[in-house]
Amino acid sequence: MGRIEKKLSDSTTKYYWYPGEKQEWIRAAVSIGVGVVAAALLMLMTHNSVTAVVVGTSATLAMAGFNFGRRDSRALAGFPGMADKAARRAAIGHTGRAAWRGLVMGVGSAAAAVLVINLSPQGWLYDWLLPVVPAVVCAIARQIGLVWEKLGTTVSTKGPAAEPAKAEPAKAVPTDG
């Protein structure tokens, strides 16, 4: 939950609460802006609205998916064990936020598909392939975001690794024969 503080006087401060953090809202605005700029540039260069919309929505959903993947990875890294009641409550909170991000990704992908379908002429490519491109790009970007966040982590051990056990030669088994 984010908060904006406005000092009205020495003894009075007014607080405005908004969902999410300011940094996440800025990232969302940047991803939408990148998609709009990409679509506008492609529309100017190609004069093809279908290509512009597919690339613009794909760029927006790629940035959003990458951001959601990073946030999901951070939530998974901080996921507590299930030993006590507080840990289970924290798990419910993590699950709720992950479900919300999944809903946003799904609605965004569906909206992009509807937009592409309504702009495009008839044909297999326009009706079946191009509408799914933004959703696939979003899903791949989310997975890249998950991996990207894990690349910065290190694993430590309590000491140097022990030497591997030496293999003993197999003993011959006597046969009666």
Side-chain angles (χ1 to χ4, degrees), residues 45-123:
M45 289 190 294
T46 65
H47 301 292
N48 186 344
S49 61
V50 176
T51 305
V53 169
V54 169
V55 170
T57 55
S58 295
T60 297
L61 288 175
M63 291 186 71
F66 182 77
N67 186 33
F68 285 157
R70 288 180 55 215
R71 290 173 69 186
D72 285 343
S73 180
R74 281 191 299 255
L76 285 172
F79 207 82
M82 296 295 162
D84 61 351
K85 198 175 203 176
R88 288 190 294 272
R89 284 187 185 145
I92 290 170
H94 288 307
T95 304
R97 286 187 290 276
W100 175 251
R101 288 189 291 269
L103 179 69
V104 169
M105 283 177 56
V107 168
S109 297
V114 168
L115 188 62
V116 171
I117 286 174
N118 286 328
L119 283 177
S120 65
Q122 299 297 322

